């Protein structure tokens, strides 16, 4: 039987991908004391790496939001791998979003809303979370956005 969260994802047309393997010396997630910590996820889609470049230069806010949403989809793929069932997520506790920003770009919160809005759409009120949105000069593989997450789990 498909769980509630998997059903919501299907209803909005989201099929979670196979989680990406780590690109360096770290693990993709850690479960500890009722919490699930997901390492930073980048915008890897069906065709591979997407959204390479800086927001405010190569991409506008809408593209940045799409990149952040893709990161959030990859976060859920890692969460499903860690938990087996996304219905075990009791709450999205915190997101940290990093936005590769062109000089003078200051709308990082609008970009990271792509991930935040997605989690609220999928989890409802349990998807509301604390958050940081940080502008940086570069990210791994040159991507526009990277997002990490912390979940409370049952």
């Amino acid at each position: 039987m498909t769980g509630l969260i998997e059903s919501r994802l299907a209803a909005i047309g989201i099929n979670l991908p196979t989680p990406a393997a780590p690109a360096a010396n770290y693990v993709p997630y850690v479960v500890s004391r009722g919490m699930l910590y997901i390492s930073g996820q980048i915008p890897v889609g069906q065709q591979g790496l997407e959204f390479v470049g800086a927001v405010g230069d190569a991409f506008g806010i809408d593209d940045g939001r799409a990149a952040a949403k893709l990161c959030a989809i990859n976060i859920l793929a890692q969460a499903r791998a860690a938990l087996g069932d996304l219905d075990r997520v009791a709450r999205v506790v915190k997101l940290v979003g990093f936005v590769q920003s062109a000089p003078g770009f200051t709308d990082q919160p609008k970009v990271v809303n792509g991930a935040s809005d997605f989690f609220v759409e999928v989890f409802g009120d349990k998807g509301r979370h604390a958050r940081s949105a940080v502008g940086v000069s570069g990210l791994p593989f040159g991507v526009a956005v990277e997002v990490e997450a912390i979940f409370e789990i049952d």
Side-chain angles (χ1 to χ4, degrees):
M1 184 168 109
T2 302
L4 176 64
I5 299 304
E6 295 275 351
S7 294
R8 283 187 188 159
L9 289 168
I12 60 173
I14 302 293
N15 294 313
L16 295 180
T18 301
N25 187 16
Y26 64 91
V27 294
Y29 56 82
V30 170
V31 177
S32 179
R33 299 180 185 223
M35 304 296 279
L36 171 63
Y37 301 85
I38 305 287
S39 294
Q41 299 296 300
I42 60 176
V44 177
Q46 291 181 347
Q47 305 304 317
L49 204 56
E50 298 183 24
F51 301 102
V52 175
V55 181
D57 182 20
F59 302 108
I61 292 172
D62 289 341
D63 287 329
R65 286 176 52 83
K69 180 179 179 179
L70 185 52
C71 293
I73 290 167
N74 290 325
I75 286 169
L76 285 189
Q78 294 290 356
R80 183 175 64 187
L83 303 173
D85 180 0
L86 290 173
D87 287 349
R88 289 188 57 203
V89 172
R91 176 164 194 125
V92 181
V93 175
K94 179 151 189 199
L95 298 183
V96 179
F98 302 93
V99 180
Q100 182 183 176
S101 302
F105 182 80
T106 59
D107 283 327
Q108 291 84 5
K110 291 179 183 177
V111 171
V112 180
N113 277 346
S116 294
D117 293 347
F118 176 72
F119 283 122
V120 172
E121 180 179 14
V122 172
F123 291 103
D125 281 341
K126 295 187 322 182
R128 297 192 185 283
H129 51 271
R131 186 184 86 181
S132 298
V134 181
V136 297
S137 63
L139 287 169
F141 309 108
V143 297
V145 180
E146 179 176 358
V147 181
E148 63 182 52
I150 302 171
F151 298 97
E152 179 184 355
I153 56 175
D154 290 331

